[in-house]
Amino acid sequence: MKLKPLLLAFCGILLSGITHAREIINLNRDWQFFREAIMNRTLQDIDLPHTWNSDISKTGNSFFYGTGNYLKEIRVPAQWDGKKVFIRFYGVSNTATLFINGKYVGEHKGGYTGFTFNITPFLNFGMSNSILVVANNTRRTDVMPINGDITVYGGIYRDVELIVTDSNHISLSDYGSDGVYLIQKEVSQDEASVEAVIEMEGTPGGNLNVQLQLFENNSPILSQTEQVKISQNGKGSLSIPFTVTQPRLWDGTNDPFLYNVTVSVVEKEIIMDQITVPLGLRYFSIDRDKGFMLNGKPYPLNGVTLHQDRSGVGNALTRLQQQEDIDLINEIGANAVRMINTPHDQYTYELCDISGLIVWSDFPFISNEYRGGKGYINSENFRKNGERQLLEMIRQLYNHPSIVFWGLFSKLSTNGDNPLEYIKYLNDLAHKESPDRLTTASSNEDGDINMITDAIGWPQYFGWNSGNIEDFILWANQFKDGWKELKPAVSEYGAGGNILHQRNQLAQPQNSSSIHPENWQTHFHEQYYEMLKTYPFLWGTFINSMFDYACSDNSTEGSPHISDMGLVSFDRHTKKDAFYFYKANWNDIDPFIHITEKRNIFRNTVNQSIKVYTNLDRAELIVNNFSYGIKEQKDGIIIWDNIKLLEGRNRIDVVSGLYNDFVELQVYDNLLAQ
């Protein structure tokens, strides 16, 4: 076995100048990997992010639960002796144990939040050093989540960084956070009051000068310097309040404006440590009649859920792939995202910040309604792990203005070990940690469990999991005059749609069947959209899901291993018809025309309806070079009924000014109906 060295000596050059600010070195490249506890002679060369279950979508693939080992060798410059060296992992599933030079450093339990270890005492400066990370994706009863419709892929599936600081530095030991928290105390159109809380580490008994600068469009508009005393345990904390008059507000997708705040540790005019975090000033609330309010105005949340995986890579998404996902969400015109089931990668939240997407960030306290809702175990180890994961989520994500909601649970049951008191504890903890945000949850039962968080949502799948689509009206009407103490939302809704399953007739399938016709998914969303418009008190509605996702390693619903409820396919190559329906209604910036059911190219009757989704005012239908006239759209839809096609091949064009779409259909009259 020979480990590949990573040469870090170049960083010593950067440390020789007048600035002693921290250095951050990405460690994603040149790792070696082997499964289980016994090392084979042959190691797999890999780069991060990585999971050992990347091909879950392939039929017959063997999903592996167990241990994966990651090895890396680095050469640590001698110039770093006297510095502090930390290693930060942004996500290891589901537990991680770290060894440096064969010595145990620590363990982290929880696959969806980051963690940082001080590895200074374990390093040999000026020499090669070995890193071993033992990851394990086996479900445990003392680590959230213990259940739920979520695939625990395993691996170091997010970035890894080495961080080098002076001995006096902004804390890296506060639950994996950056150590800086911008608390928005009071925000209005006229003035914003903010408190910056900064955690420090340094020489016991010493005094440190900490400078805060506020930047608007890269220009400093405020600068304050305060002094903090480091206690005998090597830690210190200070608060720097500041005020912004006539602030430019972060206004969702209308104007996602960001200030930047830079915090520096300064000694004799030398910057010893420095970080920059975003600041998006905004205020929000939920009105029982008007729904969600952003900066004092109604702002209906048209949202989607986002699962953090895709075909071929599992949950080990690169930054380019995360960017592609948010670009597609922006294209459809959604203004809100539910990071469903678990916290997502930091970079995804950064993209939401700059896009103006309102975020509901879920905490992994989840279960599955089909497995009895068991997601809580009344044990001290389980409760402590949940508390720690909640603190990690909130502190690590605190400065993302896109995050408005902390989702505290999903689809839990009160049967068995009752989670109510624990949920209350978590709700109080979230308010204490993040007083400027709201708590919410996704509930699938009635009763007191819905009365704890600031707001509540319910998954609604009438017309898919059970009942008929119009049954949703009966559910929503209950809130018109009753249950005024609740602030309701639809936390998820949707239906499966497999692009390979095309049918000439419209019929509701069984969600548990292996056939999920795409035209039913489209019909489902048209009907739900029409119903949802009539209930403005719903503070948010979230389509499940933006993309197909891996629902479990043994699912056979619609597609093996894959939930096909997405508006876009698992590999992101195909936008389903329902995608264009929402784009027609939510995106009024990018003109387009889309003919529906283009994948259903074989028709069994010459009499056809041609349906189009568009955000243009009107369009003309041309069939085999003959015009069937111009029609205006309503709710993004234009339909031409009773269009008689020819036996055999037909060319259909739809045109509106510079925009058009076409399809070729083959008609065989009296073909066996599908």
Side-chain angles (χ1 to χ4, degrees):
M1 178 188 69
K2 183 178 180 181
L3 300 180
K4 295 184 177 181
L6 175 70
L7 299 179
L8 301 176
F10 71 92
C11 297
I13 298 173
L14 300 178
L15 296 174
S16 64
I18 62 171
T19 176
H20 290 192
R22 67 176 58 184
E23 300 294 338
I24 301 175
I25 301 99
N26 184 278
L27 294 185
N28 282 0
R29 292 189 177 180
D30 298 324
W31 289 75
Q32 294 181 301
F33 170 77
F34 65 97
R35 288 201 328 197
E36 299 294 4
I38 301 175
M39 189 186 313
N40 298 319
R41 290 186 178 273
T42 302
L43 303 179
Q44 180 184 356
D45 293 333
I46 62 150
D47 290 335
L48 305 179
H50 174 266
T51 176
W52 55 76
N53 285 311
S54 58
D55 294 324
I56 189 173
S57 61
K58 292 183 179 179
T59 303
N61 180 66
S62 178
F63 194 90
F64 175 70
Y65 287 106
T67 297
N69 302 271
Y70 293 84
L71 294 162
K72 186 178 185 65
E73 187 172 287
I74 60 174
R75 183 172 180 83
V76 177
Q79 297 96 316
W80 286 2
D81 198 0
K83 300 284 183 181
K84 296 291 185 182
V85 183
F86 300 84
I87 190 167
R88 171 177 283 173
F89 296 86
Y90 285 89
V92 182
S93 177
N94 201 34
T95 62
T97 307
L98 175 65
F99 299 87
I100 300 292
N101 295 322
K103 297 179 180 178
Y104 172 80
V105 177
E107 183 181 34
H108 183 261
K109 298 178 181 179
Y112 305 99
T113 47
F115 54 97
T116 304
F117 287 121
N118 179 0
I119 60 174
T120 312
F122 303 92
L123 294 176
N124 299 316
F125 293 92
M127 301 175 63
S128 292
N129 293 259
S130 66
I131 301 173
L132 169 63
V133 180
V134 181
N136 194 310
N137 68 330
T138 305
R139 292 187 187 266
R140 296 171 46 156
T141 57
D142 62 339
V143 179
M144 288 186 178
I146 62 170
N147 202 339
D149 190 11
I150 178 174
T151 301
V152 183
Y153 284 92
I156 307 178
Y157 70 101
R158 292 177 184 165
D159 291 349
V160 179
E161 294 173 345
L162 210 61
I163 305 173
V164 186
T165 73
D166 189 79
S167 58
N168 296 319
H169 59 274
I170 302 164
S171 177
L172 287 158
S173 303
D174 193 29
Y175 292 93
S177 74
D178 286 325
V180 174
Y181 308 98
L182 303 179
I183 305 171
Q184 301 188 31
K185 310 293 282 188
E186 295 288 341
V187 179
S188 70
Q189 303 286 342
D190 300 320
E191 185 176 270
S193 298
V194 181
E195 178 186 9
V197 175
I198 304 163
E199 302 298 328
M200 301 294 303
E201 294 183 0
T203 304
N207 293 310
L208 301 179
N209 295 316
V210 179
Q211 181 187 56
L212 181 145
Q213 292 177 294
L214 176 67
F215 291 84
E216 181 178 0
N217 295 323
N218 297 320
S219 298
I221 60 173
L222 181 149
S223 180
Q224 294 178 215
T225 300
E226 302 289 343
Q227 194 172 82
V228 58
K229 186 175 182 63
I230 302 300
S231 65
Q232 291 305 310
N233 66 0
K235 296 183 179 181
S237 181
L238 78 159
S239 171
I240 302 179
F242 62 93
T243 301
V244 183
T245 57
Q246 299 299 310
R248 181 174 171 183
L249 298 180
W250 188 90
D251 198 30
T253 56
N254 300 320
D255 182 18
F257 181 77
L258 294 173
Y259 295 89
N260 285 307
V261 173
T262 297
V263 177
S264 307
V265 182
V266 183
E267 291 184 15
K268 298 179 181 179
E269 299 184 354
I270 297 176
I271 297 174
M272 308 304 295
D273 193 19
Q274 184 180 82
I275 67 168
T276 298
V277 295
L279 174 63
L281 297 168
R282 73 284 185 268
Y283 59 100
F284 48 83
S285 62
I286 297 175
D287 184 275
R288 183 55 176 80
D289 298 317
K290 299 177 181 179
F292 184 74
M293 308 285 287
L294 179 64
N295 299 328
K297 301 176 183 178
Y299 192 84
L301 297 183
N302 301 317
V304 295
T305 68
L306 180 61
H307 297 258
Q308 53 185 334
D309 62 355
R310 69 159 65 189
S311 175
V313 299
N315 61 348
L317 273 66
T318 66
R319 287 196 167 202
L320 286 175
Q321 290 166 334
Q322 293 176 62
Q323 177 75 66
E324 182 182 11
D325 285 356
I326 298 301
D327 286 346
L328 286 166
I329 292 173
N330 289 331
E331 180 185 344
I332 203 175
N335 62 8
V337 180
R338 179 183 170 200
M339 306 295 187
I340 194 167
N341 294 332
T342 67
H344 287 217
D345 187 70
Q346 284 271 5
Y347 186 61
T348 300
Y349 294 97
E350 292 176 21
L351 295 172
C352 291
D353 292 342
I354 63 178
S355 298
L357 295 168
I358 299 289
V359 171
W360 164 347
S361 184
D362 266 345
F363 168 63
F365 194 11
I366 60 176
S367 188
N368 190 315
E369 55 193 307
Y370 302 115
R371 299 176 186 173
K374 188 67 175 177
Y376 174 64
I377 293 178
N378 187 22
S379 72
E380 182 178 2
N381 287 339
F382 178 88
R383 291 191 299 271
K384 285 186 176 298
N385 178 258
E387 176 184 345
R388 181 171 184 87
Q389 288 198 52
L390 181 61
L391 287 170
E392 288 175 339
M393 178 179 77
I394 292 176
R395 295 195 187 185
Q396 291 171 26
L397 302 177
Y398 199 96
N399 296 316
H400 292 290
S402 57
I403 299 176
V404 169
F405 300 96
W406 300 120
L408 296 188
F409 68 85
S410 180
K411 299 178 182 177
L412 291 182
S413 171
T414 54
N415 295 326
D417 289 342
N418 193 323
L420 285 183
E421 292 305 314
Y422 187 58
I423 294 171
K424 292 176 183 177
Y425 173 76
L426 295 176
N427 190 61
D428 291 341
L429 180 61
H431 283 144
K432 178 183 176 182
E433 288 286 319
S434 184
D436 51 355
R437 287 187 171 96
L438 301 172
T439 59
T440 190
S442 179
S443 173
N444 62 343
E445 64 174 58
D446 296 328
D448 292 342
I449 196 170
N450 304 314
M451 309 294 180
I452 302 171
T453 52
D454 298 323
I456 192 71
W458 284 269
Q460 295 299 336
Y461 292 104
F462 295 115
W464 180 242
N465 282 354
S466 64
N468 300 310
I469 291 175
E470 57 270 19
D471 291 342
F472 174 82
I473 297 174
L474 300 176
W475 175 84
N477 281 341
Q478 297 176 80
F479 289 98
K480 273 190 172 180
D481 301 312
W483 296 339
K484 289 291 186 180
E485 69 278 16
L486 293 175
K487 296 175 180 178
V490 176
S491 56
E492 53 191 89
Y493 71 100
N498 191 317
I499 60 175
L500 300 179
H501 300 167
Q502 302 297 326
R503 294 293 183 267
N504 286 314
Q505 281 70 45
L506 180 67
Q508 180 176 341
Q510 294 290 324
N511 75 303
S512 58
S513 75
S514 60
I515 301 297
H516 291 170
E518 186 183 2
N519 66 348
W520 181 260
Q521 182 191 50
T522 308
H523 173 74
F524 176 99
H525 281 291
E526 287 181 359
Q527 299 302 306
Y528 260 76
Y529 179 80
E530 189 65 30
M531 293 186 296
L532 290 171
K533 287 194 306 181
T534 64
Y535 299 104
F537 58 82
L538 294 172
W539 57 261
T541 59
F542 296 84
I543 301 164
N544 189 35
S545 170
M546 183 64 198
F547 306 102
D548 291 349
Y549 61 95
C551 49
S552 68
D553 58 295
N554 59 2
S555 171
T556 57
E557 294 182 11
S559 303
H561 316 296
I562 302 299
S563 170
D564 52 23
M565 297 180 68
L567 305 180
V568 180
S569 60
F570 195 38
D571 58 12
R572 277 48 167 185
H573 291 169
T574 305
K575 302 169 185 175
K576 303 179 190 180
D577 284 345
F579 174 96
Y580 290 100
F581 171 71
Y582 284 102
K583 182 177 179 179
N585 285 282
W586 289 351
N587 183 341
D588 57 4
I589 297 175
D590 304 314
F592 80 98
I593 294 176
H594 172 77
I595 300 172
T596 68
E597 300 187 58
K598 287 195 291 186
R599 281 175 283 277
N600 184 21
I601 61 174
F602 298 106
R603 306 296 175 94
N604 63 353
T605 177
V606 294
N607 291 316
Q608 293 288 321
S609 293
I610 306 300
K611 181 167 64 175
V612 165
Y613 296 144
T614 182
N615 54 8
L616 299 166
D617 292 335
R618 59 190 63 84
E620 179 183 12
L621 174 66
I622 301 171
V623 178
N624 299 324
N625 295 319
F626 178 81
S627 175
Y628 281 82
I630 297 173
K631 283 194 171 186
E632 295 186 351
Q633 64 100 337
K634 181 181 179 183
D635 291 333
I637 304 174
I638 305 176
I639 299 177
W640 288 267
D641 287 319
N642 299 315
I643 303 300
K644 189 170 184 179
L645 304 183
L646 302 175
E647 288 259 10
R649 190 178 300 273
N650 294 260
R651 165 89 183 207
I652 289 93
D653 291 86
V654 178
V655 181
S656 180
L658 299 175
Y659 304 94
N660 63 84
D661 194 15
F662 77 94
V663 64
E664 290 189 347
L665 301 180
Q666 298 183 46
V667 177
Y668 300 96
D669 208 7
N670 299 318
L671 184 71
L672 182 65
Q674 295 184 27

